[in-house]
């Protein structure tokens, strides 16, 4: 009987530990594959050339643009946290709407960001507007 109780407690502990990871693990993986080489693993950007995503005022001001920027890229000057950036960002057109939503939700909750959850339907609506 003692073995069964111990086994049940161990199983419960493993379940709790498994659930404590990032709620946006898929987005984190996609971010690592497609975004981190420029925006860095910690979202800090690249030495004044690539804007940060961590605590970015740009993301707060223009949340509906993020899906379009990920899919189609962005050129021209932007200002993030009071600093101007001109490095063009290439798009990643092969990402699905669902993958883009996962990346956005990861970014929105990573590195101290506290933006709202974005459902895939909102991503689809945003992408329709920027075609």
């Amino acid at each position: 009987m003692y073995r069964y109780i111990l086994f049940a407690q161990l199983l419960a502990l493993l379940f709790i530990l498994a659930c404590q990871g990032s709620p946006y693990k898929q987005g984190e993986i996609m971010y690592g594959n497609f975004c981190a080489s420029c925006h860095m693993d910690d979202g800090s950007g690249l030495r004044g050339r690539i804007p940060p995503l961590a605590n970015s005022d740009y993301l707060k001001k223009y949340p509906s643009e993020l899906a379009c920027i990920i899919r189609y890229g962005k050129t021209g000057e932007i200002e993030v946290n009071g600093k101007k950036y001109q490095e063009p960002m290439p798009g990643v057109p092969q990402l699905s709407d669902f993958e883009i939503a996962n990346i956005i939700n990861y970014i929105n909750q990573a590195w101290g960001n506290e933006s709202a959850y974005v459902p895939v339907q909102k991503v689809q609506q945003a992408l329709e507007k920027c075609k």
Side-chain angles (χ1 to χ4, degrees):
M1 180 69 157
Y2 177 72
R3 278 186 170 165
Y4 295 113
I5 293 172
L6 185 60
F7 178 74
Q9 289 174 337
L10 181 59
L11 191 59
L13 179 62
L14 289 173
F15 181 73
I16 289 169
L17 291 174
C19 292
Q20 288 182 346
S22 169
Y24 303 107
K25 192 66 174 169
Q26 292 172 336
E28 182 178 8
I29 291 167
M30 299 300 294
Y31 176 86
N33 290 337
F34 294 98
C35 313
S37 61
C38 294
H39 291 285
M40 304 292 104
D41 288 333
D42 64 357
S44 63
L46 184 60
R47 299 186 189 179
R49 295 193 66 202
I50 308 293
L53 299 175
N55 297 309
S56 167
D57 65 349
Y58 188 89
L59 297 179
K60 292 173 188 166
K61 287 180 191 174
Y62 309 103
S64 61
E65 289 186 17
L66 192 51
C68 295
I69 293 171
I70 293 170
R71 165 85 39 91
Y72 301 112
K74 183 143 181 86
T75 58
E77 183 178 271
I78 65 168
E79 186 173 324
V80 180
N81 299 339
K83 182 168 176 39
K84 296 182 191 246
Y85 296 88
Q86 292 193 14
E87 190 74 27
M89 178 178 153
V92 191
Q94 70 266 29
L95 291 175
S96 71
D97 298 352
F98 182 73
E99 290 168 328
I100 291 172
N102 278 329
I103 292 170
I104 290 170
N105 285 312
Y106 170 69
I107 291 169
N108 281 350
Q109 293 298 307
W111 322 296
N113 293 336
E114 295 180 356
S115 297
Y117 171 80
V118 178
V120 71
Q121 294 83 3
K122 288 258 188 196
V123 168
Q124 291 166 334
Q125 291 169 356
L127 290 171
E128 281 298 314
K129 290 178 182 176
C130 65
K131 277 188 175 179

